[in-house]
Amino acid sequence: MTLQEFYARIGGDYNATISRLPSEALIKKFVLKYPGDPSFNQLKDALEAQDWELAFRASHTLKGVAQNLGMDRLYKAAATLCDAVRGPKPLEDASLWPPVVAANEEVLEAIREL
Amino acid sequence: MSTSYLDKNVHRRLELESDILNALCASYRALYRVNLDTDTAEPYAISAKMRPEVALLMEPRLPYSLAIERYITRFVQPTDQNRLRVQTSAVAILARLADEDSFTLRYRVQPNPSKQQYFNLYVARTGTPHVVVIGFRNIDRLLKSVEKGQHELEQTLAAARIGLFRLEFEENCPPRLFANDTMCGLLGIEPDTLTPEQAFAYWQSRVDPAYLDTAQAGVDAILKTGIGEVNYPWNHPKLGVIYIRCGGVPDQNFDRPGSAVKGYHQDITDTVITRKKQEEELAQVNVQLQRAVEDANRAMAAKSEFLSRMSHDIRTPINAILGMLDIAEKYHEDYARLDDCAHKIRSAANHLLSLVNDVLDMNRLENGQAKLVEAPADLNELVHDCVIMTQTQAERDGLTMTVDHITVEHNRVRCYALQLRQILINLLSNAVKYNRPGGNITLRADELYCNGKTVTVQYTVRDTGIGMSEEFQQHIFEPFTQENPGARTKYTGSGLGLSIVRELVERMGGTIQLESLLGEGSLFIVTLSFALDTAPAADTPAEAPAADLQGMRVLVAEDNALNMEITQFMLDELHVAYECAENGAEALCLYKNAPAGHFDAILMDMMMPVMDGTAAAAAIRALPREDAADIPIIALTANVCADVSADAAYADMDDCLFKPVQPSHLQAMLAKYYVQHS
């Protein structure tokens, strides 16, 4: 799978990303590091523990990472959740979490094929 | 019995008289009673000190005249003999005693075993006419004490290099000079080596011939007025020409016929030399002053020149403006024309403004100090501007301007635009000035060649004016030259335009030629080369040149590893060094432990565990360290609406970068603070 196909698959912005990190090899290097990033798991744990402060921070970080790598779908999902717990305050709309999970899973799968 | 009593009285009286006589005679060697009538001489007393042979001479009862003659001949110095003879004659003595009660004659004796030298012959009247007392007295000791005092005086004066002398001008004798030791030294002779006559001759021979009269005049003045002084050059045997100051008074003690002067003789060479030097210096100072005056005058002249020139160059655009305003007034409803006028007025006004701004530069150009500024210019536009500015004046004077061929192909160049304008306007306005009614001015611009780097253009200005004589053409480019001061057009100008034009042309590395025929017109040809302006026309504002951030070091506070890695990558690309902290507390710690100035800026992620960006920034600012208050803290935030100046969260931040961070934004931000910080 090419990098462009990857971005198409995950609903990401290849063009924006390549303009920021001008080499495909570089982008690929960072993308391949994503699975090791703790932000998603931190968020998951935080929500389970109902640690809204941590949830806020984790979702915020996840949002940032996704954005940094041009993973727009993941970014949007994380951003929505982040706004919902900003305060921090308890997550009232639990339906905000599954899109995050799905987007994350999508990315991980795509990465496996990279 | 009475006789013995009488005898006793007489005897006593004689004894008394004898005692008195002896006492009085103590200082005299001999005293004689001389009867000039009978020519007899009787000794009164003869001191034991008198030399036997002298005494013996006087002892026999010789006639006075013979005795004195013998004395003089045998014992008196030859040089004094005649004088003494004359003065001791009966006739002379009687004549003199008619006026005085006594007189003395000084004389020297011939060398003798007792080394006596000077004697006084004392002659005095007695109660009896024709009877005189003559006494001989040695005055060596007296003279010595006088001498001693004199000697001390001379020593004092010697220190000041002042010698003492006596000059004797005795009648019928050669002049004599008696110089003391100091003076001998000043004359370059050993004391007592020359006779007084020789000494005088020696001194005189070495006086600068031109000053002999002066020296004589000095002596005359002394004798006449009692005091006098002369300065003269004197040829010293060893020192060469030295300067002498002589002065003195008449010698009252001179008792012979003629006159004598006693005075001082001083070497004033040092003073004279010093004075000469002073005079030379004064002369030099005067020369310098003269030059300074000349320079000042020249500067004044240059200043007036400059002022005239200034008015000359300023009038052209002002006239253009006035011309345009006339038109605007006349056609005040013709908007197209008004527009055109406004445009031309602006053009002229801009030119005028540049002129005024550069007035000092023009002056400096004259002084060779101007810095001409090269800038991109459009030659065709420039020439067009010049035409506009002079066209009004031309039309007003009923002249036609032909500008068919004033564009060139390679018109985008780098040149001294203002100066080129000056050159063209000067030539064009001259063409206007020196034209005839109904005449014509033709301007041409021809591109001679272009080699891809430079283009050579030739501008020609032709007029049908009064032309110039061959002779005048020689001086045309000199300042203030005007062949016909009564020019036909209204303003006369200052005659400086062409000298400036030439200077400018030369400054720009070009040439200017003139062809002219008296009565027919003139043609000026200016050839200039310009560098082509190869840079593309800038429509967009120029990007700031890539900032060199090498050497910059930032503290990056970011909790997410992946984000950090991406940031690190971008910083590497910018050659910016960095140190990383995973949260605010670590950032604070890193910063605190580093010396002041170690970090140039801090990139602070807002959202971090342990201590977030806001708190970390606050803590850093609170540190009692010199750079804590100033170090740029740049927030990294995803919140595009962040208002660093208003939002309290950014209270201690200086700026913020929006995530995802664009490399160019990061560069610009760092460059902004790096420059400022350093």
Side-chain angles (χ1 to χ4, degrees):
Chain A
M1 190 195 288
T2 67
L3 205 57
Q4 276 183 305
E5 285 167 358
F6 168 79
Y7 273 94
R9 171 91 166 264
I10 64 164
D13 190 344
Y14 171 80
N15 286 331
T17 311
I18 198 84
S19 75
R20 288 178 51 241
L21 305 166
S23 118
E24 282 209 355
L26 196 65
I27 297 172
K28 199 162 163 182
K29 172 177 133 187
F30 286 130
V31 163
L32 289 172
K33 287 200 177 180
Y34 176 73
D37 186 270
S39 309
F40 176 80
N41 289 327
Q42 261 181 355
L43 177 56
K44 184 166 158 215
D45 294 340
L47 287 173
E48 271 171 32
Q50 295 192 359
D51 183 346
W52 307 119
E53 163 100 45
L54 183 59
F56 175 64
R57 252 189 306 116
S59 62
H60 184 273
T61 306
L62 180 62
K63 178 180 96 175
V65 170
Q67 196 179 37
N68 225 348
L69 293 173
M71 300 165 173
D72 286 1
R73 201 174 294 163
L74 179 57
Y75 160 73
K76 281 192 189 114
T80 314
L81 187 68
C82 183
D83 287 338
V85 295
R86 190 181 295 272
K89 66 179 196 278
L91 179 66
E92 281 160 8
D93 187 356
S95 69
L96 295 178
W97 173 235
V100 181
V101 176
N104 183 60
E105 198 45 54
E106 195 176 51
V107 167
L108 289 176
E109 226 183 271
I111 286 174
R112 278 193 280 269
E113 290 180 39
L114 247 186
Chain B
M1 246 84 48
S2 55
T3 45
S4 68
Y5 177 72
L6 272 168
D7 278 339
K8 231 198 224 162
N9 273 342
V10 168
H11 183 72
R12 254 194 80 106
R13 233 189 58 214
L14 280 174
E15 249 184 19
L16 205 60
E17 280 179 12
S18 176
D19 286 341
I20 294 169
L21 257 179
N22 279 336
L24 289 173
C25 288
S27 42
Y28 284 89
R29 292 287 158 88
L31 274 175
Y32 295 90
R33 182 178 182 274
V34 174
N35 188 325
L36 294 170
D37 245 359
T38 59
D39 198 23
T40 50
E42 269 178 64
Y44 271 140
I46 303 205
S47 137
K49 289 200 195 124
M50 195 166 206
R51 282 152 58 200
E53 56 270 32
V54 179
L56 215 61
L57 186 72
M58 305 298 283
E59 190 62 43
R61 292 253 190 155
L62 287 173
Y64 160 71
S65 48
L66 191 57
I68 197 79
E69 175 56 40
R70 278 197 190 164
Y71 174 75
I72 289 174
T73 315
R74 280 200 210 155
F75 296 110
V76 173
Q77 273 272 18
T79 46
D80 291 344
Q81 283 181 8
N82 273 340
R83 175 170 60 92
L84 221 55
R85 252 179 223 121
V86 166
Q87 290 177 326
T88 53
S89 68
V91 171
I93 290 175
L94 286 173
R96 204 147 166 197
L97 289 180
D99 294 325
E100 303 165 286
D101 288 336
S102 68
F103 63 91
T104 40
L105 304 167
R106 186 176 298 186
Y107 62 92
R108 269 176 90 153
V109 298
Q110 296 174 15
N112 52 80
S114 9
K115 294 219 180 15
Q116 295 161 353
Q117 285 187 50
Y118 288 95
F119 277 81
N120 268 356
L121 193 149
Y122 173 74
V123 181
R125 262 217 299 233
T126 63
T128 322
H130 298 117
V131 175
V132 298
V133 167
I134 294 183
F136 294 84
R137 186 177 169 188
N138 175 271
I139 56 167
D140 286 337
R141 216 153 52 159
L142 181 66
L143 287 181
K144 263 210 172 43
S145 66
V146 168
E147 250 182 59
K148 185 156 169 261
Q150 177 96 347
H151 184 67
E152 278 166 5
L153 175 65
E154 286 182 16
Q155 274 199 319
T156 310
L157 292 173
R161 293 173 62 73
I162 300 177
L164 295 175
F165 67 88
R166 274 188 343 108
L167 275 175
E168 287 182 1
F169 301 102
E170 190 179 338
E171 265 173 45
N172 305 317
C173 298
R176 298 179 206 109
L177 170 63
F178 298 86
N180 77 338
D181 290 354
T182 308
M183 183 164 173
C184 286
L186 293 173
L187 293 174
I189 55 176
E190 288 298 315
D192 298 325
T193 48
L194 301 175
T195 65
E197 290 82 2
Q198 287 170 331
F200 180 86
Y202 168 82
W203 166 81
Q204 196 183 49
S205 71
R206 287 176 167 273
V207 173
D208 185 321
Y211 284 80
L212 277 173
D213 288 341
T214 315
Q216 184 59 52
V219 171
D220 294 340
I222 290 171
L223 293 171
K224 201 184 286 190
T225 64
I227 196 155
E229 189 181 83
V230 291
N231 297 344
Y232 56 89
W234 194 81
N235 186 12
H236 191 281
K238 284 211 191 86
L239 303 172
V241 174
I242 58 176
Y243 293 91
I244 298 294
R245 174 181 293 153
C246 277
V249 293
D251 184 358
Q252 311 287 8
N253 293 327
F254 192 62
D255 50 5
R256 290 170 243 173
S259 51
V261 163
K262 57 184 182 188
Y264 55 90
H265 175 102
Q266 185 183 17
D267 180 346
I268 56 163
T269 312
D270 289 342
T271 317
V272 168
I273 286 176
T274 311
R275 191 163 312 137
K276 272 210 178 127
K277 234 190 257 175
Q278 284 175 339
E279 279 169 20
E280 271 169 23
E281 278 172 21
L282 201 62
Q284 266 193 342
V285 167
N286 277 340
V287 165
Q288 283 173 347
L289 278 175
Q290 187 64 27
R291 262 194 228 131
V293 165
E294 280 168 24
D295 282 344
N297 284 340
R298 224 179 295 129
M300 281 283 287
K303 194 167 144 186
S304 329
E305 234 186 87
F306 171 68
L307 285 173
S308 318
R309 186 192 326 133
M310 209 171 87
S311 71
H312 165 276
D313 288 336
I314 281 176
R315 281 204 195 99
T316 309
I318 290 180
N319 279 321
I321 293 171
L322 290 172
M324 286 293 111
L325 288 172
D326 283 344
I327 295 177
E329 267 174 42
K330 194 167 162 191
Y331 297 96
H332 61 266
E333 292 201 24
D334 183 345
Y335 294 117
R337 213 190 275 257
L338 283 183
D339 222 11
D340 181 55
C341 285
H343 176 74
K344 288 178 178 170
I345 287 172
R346 183 174 293 282
S347 186
N350 279 332
H351 176 72
L352 190 54
L353 184 62
S354 324
L355 250 188
V356 170
N357 281 339
D358 290 341
V359 143
L360 285 176
D361 282 352
M362 296 281 273
N363 193 27
R364 266 184 263 137
L365 178 74
E366 250 45 53
N367 297 337
Q369 292 166 11
K371 301 170 285 189
L372 303 184
V373 175
E374 213 183 53
D378 182 332
L379 288 177
N380 296 339
E381 227 177 80
L382 194 150
V383 170
H384 186 67
D385 283 346
C386 297
V387 167
I388 289 171
M389 269 185 264
T390 40
Q391 213 162 32
T392 347
Q393 186 65 40
E395 277 165 23
R396 242 214 229 153
D397 291 345
L399 306 166
T400 54
M401 246 180 114
T402 310
V403 290
D404 298 325
H405 196 273
I406 59 168
T407 55
V408 296
E409 189 192 325
H410 295 95
N411 57 322
R412 298 198 65 83
V413 297
R414 293 184 63 82
C415 72
Y416 303 129
L418 178 66
Q419 281 71 34
L420 181 56
R421 271 200 193 89
Q422 276 315 99
I423 290 168
L424 292 173
I425 287 172
N426 242 297
L427 292 176
L428 288 169
S429 58
N430 273 356
V432 169
K433 252 193 291 175
Y434 296 105
N435 221 314
R436 69 187 76 213
N440 171 267
I441 303 161
T442 304
L443 170 66
R444 265 189 80 94
D446 292 291
E447 185 175 308
L448 295 184
Y449 51 80
C450 177
N451 66 1
K453 279 209 198 126
T454 57
V455 58
T456 304
V457 178
Q458 188 177 78
Y459 292 102
T460 51
V461 177
R462 187 191 293 274
D463 69 66
T464 55
I466 57 179
M468 296 172 230
S469 64
E470 283 279 331
E471 206 218 309
F472 185 67
Q473 285 177 46
Q474 308 286 333
H475 304 285
I476 183 73
F477 292 109
E478 288 166 26
F480 293 122
T481 44
Q482 272 176 311
E483 179 150 49
N484 186 359
R488 278 152 223 232
T489 49
K490 276 185 217 135
Y491 67 100
T492 54
S494 57
L496 295 165
L498 284 175
S499 62
I500 306 162
V501 166
R502 180 178 65 170
E503 207 165 318
L504 288 173
V505 169
E506 283 177 6
R507 265 298 197 114
M508 291 167 70
T511 59
I512 179 162
Q513 288 162 273
L514 163 66
E515 283 167 23
S516 183
L517 265 179
L518 196 58
E520 292 208 7
S522 309
L523 168 68
F524 283 89
I525 305 166
V526 175
T527 313
L528 293 162
S529 294
F530 308 105
L532 290 176
D533 186 19
T534 48
D539 292 314
T540 52
E543 295 271 345
D548 183 7
L549 297 172
Q550 239 172 14
M552 188 176 190
R553 193 203 319 273
V554 298
L555 171 58
V556 186
E558 164 68 62
D559 61 320
N560 181 273
L562 197 45
N563 282 338
M564 176 65 94
E565 242 191 271
I566 294 176
T567 307
Q568 285 172 335
F569 164 75
M570 288 183 186
L571 289 172
D572 283 332
E573 288 289 291
L574 295 172
H575 306 289
V576 174
Y578 49 80
E579 284 174 35
C580 304
E582 278 180 12
N583 55 57
E586 236 184 73
L588 177 65
C589 194
L590 269 178
Y591 178 76
K592 224 168 41 173
N593 293 339
H598 183 74
F599 293 112
D600 295 297
I602 300 175
L603 293 172
M604 188 80 82
D605 187 27
M606 289 303 281
M607 203 69 61
M608 291 183 287
V610 182
M611 187 192 278
D612 69 9
T614 309
I620 287 171
R621 293 287 185 227
L623 287 175
R625 221 169 81 162
E626 56 186 276
D627 62 340
D630 296 320
I631 185 163
I633 301 181
I634 301 157
L636 299 172
T637 178
N639 186 3
V640 295
C641 298
D643 186 351
V644 176
S645 51
D647 198 333
Y650 303 95
D652 295 297
M653 318 276 193
D654 293 286
D655 221 320
C656 68
L657 273 170
F658 300 123
K659 296 207 243 180
V661 175
Q662 301 281 353
S664 56
H665 293 173
L666 177 62
Q667 182 186 43
M669 183 66 72
L670 290 179
K672 176 174 167 189
Y673 286 99
Y674 191 33
V675 166
Q676 283 184 15
H677 191 63
S678 61

